[in-house]
Amino acid sequence: MERRTLGAAALEVGAVGLGCMPMNWAYTASQRRGDRSVRTVHAALDAGSTLLDTADMYGPFTNELLIGRALKQRRRDAFVSTKVGLLVGDQHVVANGRPGYVKRACDASLRRLQTDVIDLYQLHRADPEVPVEETWGAMAELVSAGKVRALGMCAMGVRPQGARGTRRVSGHLYEGTIRQLERLQQVFPVSAVQAELSVWSPQALERLLPWCEARGVGFLAAMPLGNGFLTGTLTPGQGFEPDDIRARHPRFTAEMMAANQPVVAGLRRIARRHGPGWTPAQVALAWVLGRGRNVVAVPGSKREEWAVENASAARLGLSPRDVWEVAGLPEARGSWD
Ligand SMILES: NC(=O)c1ccc[n+]([C@@H]2O[C@H](COP(=O)([O-])OP(=O)(O)OC[C@H]3O[C@@H](n4cnc5c(N)ncnc54)[C@H](OP(=O)(O)O)[C@@H]3O)[C@@H](O)[C@H]2O)c1
């Protein structure tokens, strides 16, 4: 698989990674596959993906434990990317960016992952009660201590009020994030930013991705398949279990899923033009990869066959006509977050 380089530390990864979140978190619990997901990790590694994206919060903790088991014999094939700074409380997810906590959380992640170094340690969310420089300074000390190779920042849930959902208000999109990233850069280099980027959520293209590109910062495209919608395997009105994030997502009501079918139809048309076997999911991922040489797509899956299908999207070169057609697809209906 094509390799891409992340940030000043020049860490190399396969262009398509594996998002491990659906194995233990955010999607319907009854569909989880337990240790069968270990085989999914191995299938992704065999297909050339190296970056495995997890977080201590996923599970909580069980996703890191699973990755640790999966990598017992294969640590050298993988690039482990995990996150710190969000805790699952009784009612809510809460941020904790206190330096002492961050250092203890890193040791716990290392134990669960059964490794002595985390390749990319990402701040999941900044803690509003702790100056972000203090949190980032503690993370930088983990690099000095050899426990972490590079640092990343997640840019989700930090959009300014009023910036919801449309490209029209995009002048303000990610402004707060970029200010925060500038502050982090004063303390220690940001090697990667992780944010949502997909055919139906292209907002990061306007300010955030160019900011990363100009500074040689890697960009991890989260939710590149639109939480599964862009794969064309979901049916409008199918419904989601209450524990599935899509049960509360404005784009996954029966009405919005029906309204957004032209987006999937457009991806399917392009896939067909490339010949038998290509899928809308692969077109969606190829489009993400085409947005910049610093972009790594992180599609989430718990299934071996989909991890392999997604990895092969790195071989699908989109033509200028394909890209033009994607640009002409209708803007997604339903609020973005
Ligand atoms: N930093 C953050 O705050 C943050 C937030 C969200 C996500 N992320 C990261 O980004 C990754 C990707 O996001 P995501 O997993 O939420 O969304 P996604 O990649 O857009 O979509 C995942 C969904 O698509 C399905 N899927 C995957 N490949 C498919 C294929 N080829 N054909 C049909 N369906 C397919 C998966 O099903 P199965 O699960 O059944 O395989 C899953 O339901 C996560 O795993 C996580 O690592 C980070």
Side-chain angles (χ1 to χ4, degrees), residues 27 53 125 156 194 223 225 227 298 300-303 310:
Y27 295 93
D53 190 61
R125 298 286 184 277
M156 260 155 305
Q194 179 166 163
M223 295 177 266
L225 298 171
N227 302 103
V298 192
S301 184
K302 51 186 165 289
R303 291 165 207 278
N310 296 342

Side-chain angles (χ1 to χ4, degrees), residues 137-220:
M139 292 172 71
E141 285 177 31
L142 294 168
V143 180
S144 309
K147 296 180 179 185
V148 164
R149 289 171 75 200
L151 301 185
M153 177 76 200
C154 296
M156 260 155 305
V158 287
R159 299 176 191 107
Q161 285 289 317
R164 296 182 132 232
T166 75
R167 295 175 211 178
R168 281 181 287 281
V169 291
S170 55
H172 302 291
L173 285 181
Y174 290 115
E175 236 165 56
T177 305
I178 289 170
R179 276 198 299 275
Q180 198 171 62
L181 288 167
E182 302 276 10
R183 285 169 60 190
L184 300 184
Q185 290 279 61
Q186 302 298 315
V187 179
F188 192 85
V190 179
S191 284
V193 170
Q194 179 166 163
E196 184 173 3
L197 176 63
S198 70
V199 166
W200 79 346
S201 296
Q203 290 81 356
L205 294 183
E206 299 211 0
R207 299 279 314 276
L208 189 58
L209 184 56
W211 185 94
C212 292
E213 220 162 13
R215 288 156 187 81
V217 172
F219 186 95
L220 306 193

Side-chain angles (χ1 to χ4, degrees), residues 2-5 15 209 213 289-296:
E2 179 198 335
R3 313 275 285 184
R4 296 202 166 179
T5 305
L209 184 56
E213 220 162 13
L289 293 179
R291 297 315 92 216
R293 293 277 316 148
N294 60 332
V295 176
V296 173

Side-chain angles (χ1 to χ4, degrees), residues 18-23 26-27 31 53-54 58 83 122 124-125 154-156 194 221-229 231 233 245-246 279 281 298-303 305-307 309-310:
L18 176 66
C20 300
M21 183 175 80
M23 298 171 185
Y27 295 93
Q31 290 176 8
D53 190 61
T54 178
Y58 300 161
K83 315 186 187 79
Q122 301 165 95
H124 214 160
R125 298 286 184 277
C154 296
M156 260 155 305
Q194 179 166 163
M223 295 177 266
L225 298 171
N227 302 103
F229 181 80
T231 67
T233 56
I245 41 167
R246 294 169 293 190
T279 64
V298 192
S301 184
K302 51 186 165 289
R303 291 165 207 278
E305 64 277 17
W306 286 349
E309 176 184 324
N310 296 342

Side-chain angles (χ1 to χ4, degrees), residues 15 56 76 95 115 143 148 157 214 244 264 283-284 323:
D56 56 0
R76 290 170 63 176
T115 187
V143 180
V148 164
D244 191 306
V264 177
V283 174
V323 176

Side-chain angles (χ1 to χ4, degrees), residues 23 28 37 39 77 121-122 190 202 241 275-276:
M23 298 171 185
T28 307
S37 293
R39 294 212 289 270
D77 300 337
Y121 204 37
Q122 301 165 95
V190 179
E241 301 284 325

Side-chain angles (χ1 to χ4, degrees), residues 92-116:
H92 302 287
V93 170
V94 286
N96 189 340
R98 294 180 200 287
Y101 167 75
V102 166
K103 290 182 180 171
R104 284 194 304 279
C106 178
D107 286 337
S109 285
L110 285 167
R111 272 195 302 276
R112 285 188 291 271
L113 291 162
Q114 303 190 41
T115 187
D116 48 16

